[in-house]
């Protein structure tokens, strides 16, 4: 999967977000990587480039635009 953008989230929200994304058939992986800007207790939901229709669902779920994945 070509990684495009990510959202940092606290561990407490991982289960809910994972279930919501799976129900919408949106591709993602969960990472903890030193290159990502994560606070203690956070993980990153990482996404590939996607169609606007799918991105709209991701944007609404997280409430803002994701951060660019470092190259």
């Amino acid at each position: 999967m070509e990684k495009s953008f990510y959202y940092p989230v606290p561990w407490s929200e991982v289960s809910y977000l994972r279930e919501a994304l799976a129900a919408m058939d949106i591709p993602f992986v969960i990472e903890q990587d030193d290159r990502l800007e994560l606070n203690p207790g956070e993980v990153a939901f990482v996404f590939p480039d996607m169609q606007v229709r799918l991105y709209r669902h991701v944007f609404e779920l997280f409430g803002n635009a994701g951060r660019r994945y470092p190259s």
Side-chain angles (χ1 to χ4, degrees):
M1 175 176 87
E2 183 76 23
K3 299 170 184 175
S4 179
F5 62 98
Y6 72 98
Y7 289 91
V9 298
W11 272 105
S12 61
E13 296 179 20
V14 169
S15 180
Y16 163 74
L17 292 169
R18 183 175 47 215
E19 290 175 17
L21 291 165
M24 292 184 276
D25 291 324
I26 296 176
F28 70 94
V29 293
I30 298 172
E31 292 185 0
Q32 281 186 308
D33 189 312
D34 292 338
R35 298 178 301 150
L36 304 178
E37 296 177 27
L38 300 174
N39 293 321
E42 287 184 332
V43 297
F45 277 76
V46 181
F47 299 90
D49 282 334
M50 59 182 62
Q51 298 174 350
V52 173
R53 178 182 56 83
L54 287 179
Y55 179 73
R56 182 178 62 89
H57 294 300
V58 174
F59 184 91
E60 290 175 358
L61 183 63
F62 287 91
N64 57 36
R67 297 178 184 173
R68 184 179 188 151
Y69 195 87
S71 44

